[in-house]
Amino acid sequence: MTDFIIKNGALKKYRGKETKVVIPDSVKKIRRRAFIDCKSLKEITIPDSVTEIGRCAFICCKSLEKITIPDSVTEIGTCAFKGCRSLKEITIPDSVKKIGGGTFWDCKSLEKITISSSVTEIGTCTFKDCESLKEITIPDSVIDIGERAFEGCKSLEEITISDSVKKIGGFAFFCC
């Protein structure tokens, strides 16, 4: 527990060097930059008590391979997983309505994304430079795809976009 700095249910900072981390059940929010640049972190378990993953919470955790976002999470902050270059697969739970800008930017190994049918918006640069992403299905619930959302997804071979999408931002699929 000494590796965690927790205040009023918010995980402010992780100071450990473990490869597998289990966040304590007492945590309700993961604050911004809580795990910034944790180079050795490979796997993290987030408890059902967590409702919010803050801005840049896991930014540049280059070895992070596995994370499960529980259904209790309703908000994922901007750039939360930016630069997690070893992350291969992610599932966005039904509780999340919006995937913030830059959330998975530069996740070079990301191959598979499952977006729940509750998501209505994919923010600016959300999947920018996810070079290994091959296919994605945008659920019917999505009405807005932000600018540069999939820019640089060089391996993207198949994308399914429903008629419900009302807005696709500029350069959303540039260099695909």
Side-chain angles (χ1 to χ4, degrees), residues 101-122:
T103 302
F104 299 100
W105 187 346
D106 199 33
C107 291
K108 300 224 182 268
S109 298
L110 193 61
E111 297 173 354
K112 184 178 180 191
I113 304 160
T114 303
I115 300 175
S116 75
S117 60
S118 62
V119 173
T120 59
E121 183 180 340
I122 298 172

Side-chain angles (χ1 to χ4, degrees), residues 9 14 52 67-68 85 127 151 156 162:
Y14 173 72
E52 181 183 327
I67 185 164
T68 301
R85 293 182 167 190
F127 299 104
E151 178 182 345
L156 195 59
S162 75

Side-chain angles (χ1 to χ4, degrees), residues 8 13 26 57 73 78 84-86 107 130 155:
N8 298 326
K13 184 72 180 157
S26 62
V73 173
T78 303
C84 293
R85 293 182 167 190
S86 298
C107 291
C130 291
S155 298

Side-chain angles (χ1 to χ4, degrees), residues 43-112:
E43 185 176 331
I44 187 141
T45 301
I46 300 175
D48 289 335
S49 59
V50 173
T51 59
E52 181 183 327
I53 298 173
R55 181 178 191 205
C56 303
F58 296 93
I59 194 167
C60 295
C61 292
K62 293 178 180 174
S63 298
L64 185 62
E65 296 172 353
K66 186 176 181 191
I67 185 164
T68 301
I69 301 171
D71 288 335
S72 57
V73 173
T74 58
E75 186 176 332
I76 300 173
T78 303
C79 298
F81 300 97
K82 183 179 179 184
C84 293
R85 293 182 167 190
S86 298
L87 192 62
K88 292 184 180 179
E89 184 176 333
I90 196 80
T91 298
I92 308 297
D94 288 337
S95 51
V96 176
K97 306 288 183 244
K98 176 185 175 184
I99 305 172
T103 302
F104 299 100
W105 187 346
D106 199 33
C107 291
K108 300 224 182 268
S109 298
L110 193 61
E111 297 173 354
K112 184 178 180 191

Side-chain angles (χ1 to χ4, degrees), residues 135-152:
E135 75 175 68
I136 187 161
T137 299
I138 309 290
D140 291 342
S141 57
V142 173
I143 57 172
D144 187 353
I145 298 173
E147 291 183 13
R148 302 184 185 276
F150 295 93
E151 178 182 345

Side-chain angles (χ1 to χ4, degrees), residues 128-168:
K128 187 176 190 284
D129 296 330
C130 291
E131 296 176 353
S132 298
L133 186 61
K134 291 183 181 166
E135 75 175 68
I136 187 161
T137 299
I138 309 290
D140 291 342
S141 57
V142 173
I143 57 172
D144 187 353
I145 298 173
E147 291 183 13
R148 302 184 185 276
F150 295 93
E151 178 182 345
C153 293
K154 297 174 182 177
S155 298
L156 195 59
E157 296 171 354
E158 185 176 326
I159 185 158
T160 304
I161 302 174
S162 75
D163 292 338
S164 63
V165 174
K166 305 278 187 253
K167 179 184 171 195
I168 298 176

